[in-house]
Amino acid sequence: MPKLRPSDPEEKSQFESAMRPESLFPYGGGSAICSGRFFAKQEILAAVVLIVLKFEIEPRGWFTHHGKKSIREAKPDEGFAGAGVLPPDQDMLVTLRVK
Ligand code: HEM
């Protein structure tokens, strides 16, 4: 993947959605970095594994947070800039069926 420059307006959105490990700081940094991060990661992985193993997941499309159908896919919500992690600005409605 080519090196992206977040300062370039053309490349900013690509940079934010590149999801490269070095672009992600969910647990802070420095001397106060989250001391529960390894535990938290294992818990998140275990929860995702259980959901994927136990349920059949059928995507139903993108929806706004107000429940309106949307024709575009979600992108990181820039309103949360500075909060560590940018959540998606839209929801993916899914149907879950127990396998
Ligand atoms: C997805 C889950 C979690 C996220 C995103 C998260 C995120 C954070 C962040 C951003 C900080 C501040 C770091 C900084 O100031 O640079 C922090 C601190 C901290 N977190 Fe977490 N955390 C999570 C789960 C946990 C869990 C499960 C525990 C304990 C079992 C935990 C214990 C702590 C503690 C003790 C601190 C303070 C560290 C210090 O000041 O030295 N966190 N966390």
Side-chain angles (χ1 to χ4, degrees):
M1 177 185 286
K3 194 81 180 164
L4 298 171
R5 293 161 299 167
S7 54
D8 182 336
E10 293 285 323
E11 297 180 3
K12 186 168 174 278
S13 61
Q14 285 184 61
F15 179 85
E16 287 167 347
S17 58
M19 303 302 173
R20 295 172 307 163
E22 67 268 29
S23 307
L24 186 67
F25 298 93
Y27 301 108
S31 62
I33 193 169
C34 176
S35 44
R37 64 194 183 281
F38 301 112
F39 175 71
K41 187 176 173 186
Q42 293 305 316
E43 289 291 304
I44 293 165
L45 281 175
V48 171
V49 165
L50 282 175
I51 291 168
V52 169
L53 283 177
K54 298 282 179 190
F55 294 95
E56 191 182 298
I57 305 169
E58 183 190 346
R60 306 295 298 272
W62 295 107
F63 285 79
T64 69
H65 293 323
H66 301 294
K68 285 196 169 168
K69 189 137 179 66
S70 171
I71 53 167
R72 69 163 177 85
E73 62 188 36
K75 58 183 177 51
D77 188 342
E78 295 182 358
F80 286 82
V85 177
L86 304 185
D89 69 344
Q90 298 199 117
D91 300 317
M92 165 60 73
L93 187 73
V94 298
T95 298
L96 292 181
R97 287 187 201 87
V98 178
K99 281 183 179 170

